[in-house]
Amino acid sequence: MSRPNNDFYQPVPGLEVPRFAGVASFMRLPQVKLEDADEVDIGLIGVPWDGGTTNRPGPRHGPRQMRDASAMIRKVHHHLKTEPFKLANVADIGDAPVNPADLMDALSRIEKFYDQVVAAGVRPLSAGGDHLCSLPILRSLGRARPVGMIQFDAHSDLWDSYFHGSKFTHGTPFARAIEEGVLDPRRTVQIGLRGGVYDWSDREFGERHGVTMIDIEEAIANGLDDTMKRARDIVGDDETYVTFDIDCLDPAFAPGTGTPEAGGFTTREAQAMLRQLRGLNIIGADVVEVSPPFDASGYTALAGVTMMFELLCIMAERV
């Protein structure tokens, strides 16, 4: 790192430029082109694509609304006492290139972009997009060695296919990632699963490969502290990815998503769980499935960027 920490990128102060003014960027940080990001430790990235959506569309618009909502993010975490912008050099490095008309080409474009992110030594913290966006990111991060993962989600996303053999949807990314050898299933923990299912094939796939699948009822019954200790023990200190599907929250807190499921976590519970990832070797993370067309209040986007800030704080402590 060539930049002294007093010369890290900083958010535009809200007391100098009103939060409703100026160019929208993640957390009001400078926008830096990827080719100029060699001094960036953590890159905030948008993936404006929902080509894998099978229900309510709209997450392609998520990154733009989340950038706008992130104007409310400030410099210091009130509980952790973390000041992430002093600990790490953080910047908005733009959006991954996508192709809204060609699913396979979009996956290839996103993967190539994240290959460059990894090559630059930048740890990505991304805003989706639907959950299929996580697959090309994992391909880049897990190419040399499969990574572990902690997933907050109402759904396992371990299905084999949708609609007569479609292998690439937002319900299949982690089945593909395991099959491709970029995700270590025995170091993968899914937290908050709930809702009706078509059959048991996703659970059977997970059990067969050693994925730890924790229903929300189990998480609540055992307590969130014990649940997160179990997750930490499973992923250990090896490289770990964190993916946060906004539908892990109850629709009362996050109505703007494609596949809402009643009975989810509160925003406060989700924040408490993310804080317990402190100290883990997190090499990347994402928050996905924010769908602005179903988010009239803007609260879903605010919840999403709040979770991004929680993740940023714990990632910055271990850069």
Side-chain angles (χ1 to χ4, degrees), residues 80-104:
L80 299 180
K81 307 298 189 289
T82 302
E83 298 184 52
F85 308 112
K86 288 185 177 179
L87 298 175
N89 206 17
V90 187
D92 182 334
I93 58 174
D95 287 348
V98 299
N99 183 342
D102 188 322
L103 185 151
M104 298 307 292

Side-chain angles (χ1 to χ4, degrees), residues 68-83:
D68 194 30
S70 73
M72 293 304 299
I73 300 298
R74 299 175 179 86
K75 288 187 176 183
V76 183
H77 193 291
H78 77 283
H79 181 69
L80 299 180
K81 307 298 189 289
T82 302
E83 298 184 52

Side-chain angles (χ1 to χ4, degrees), residues 187-204:
R187 293 185 56 244
T188 296
V189 186
Q190 301 180 325
I191 301 170
L193 304 178
R194 64 186 191 278
V197 294
Y198 301 112
D199 56 39
W200 293 110
S201 59
D202 67 322
R203 298 296 182 111
E204 292 166 353

Side-chain angles (χ1 to χ4, degrees), residues 8-11 25-30 40-45 66 70-78 80-93 122-127 152 240-244 270-271 273-287 303-319:
F8 285 169
Y9 296 122
Q10 295 295 312
S25 68
F26 282 120
M27 303 182 195
R28 310 194 92 198
L29 288 161
V40 173
D41 297 312
I42 300 173
L44 307 183
I45 301 167
M66 292 169 76
S70 73
M72 293 304 299
I73 300 298
R74 299 175 179 86
K75 288 187 176 183
V76 183
H77 193 291
H78 77 283
L80 299 180
K81 307 298 189 289
T82 302
E83 298 184 52
F85 308 112
K86 288 185 177 179
L87 298 175
N89 206 17
V90 187
D92 182 334
I93 58 174
V122 177
R123 295 195 175 198
L125 174 53
S126 309
F152 298 89
T240 298
Y241 192 76
V242 179
T243 184
F244 189 100
Q271 288 174 281
M273 288 188 291
L274 289 176
R275 291 168 192 171
Q276 293 193 56
L277 302 179
R278 200 174 193 180
L280 293 182
N281 184 11
I282 299 172
I283 61 168
D286 64 46
V287 176
V305 296
T306 298
M307 302 309 157
M308 286 183 72
F309 184 67
E310 296 284 354
L311 288 162
L312 174 63
C313 287
I314 59 176
M315 290 174 67
E317 290 181 333
R318 190 160 171 175
V319 164

Side-chain angles (χ1 to χ4, degrees), residues 135 138-139 141-151 158 173-190 205-206 208-213 231 233-241 283:
L135 176 59
L138 287 170
R139 286 172 172 170
L141 291 173
R143 180 169 291 115
R145 187 165 71 107
V147 300
M149 185 175 74
I150 298 178
Q151 174 184 350
L158 290 173
F174 305 123
R176 299 291 85 79
I178 289 170
E179 291 170 348
E180 294 176 15
V182 297
L183 177 63
D184 182 350
R186 298 190 179 279
R187 293 185 56 244
T188 296
V189 186
Q190 301 180 325
F205 179 96
R208 189 163 64 249
H209 288 84
V211 176
T212 300
M213 308 174 77
D233 289 344
I234 289 168
V235 299
D237 196 49
D238 287 340
E239 293 183 341
T240 298
Y241 192 76
I283 61 168

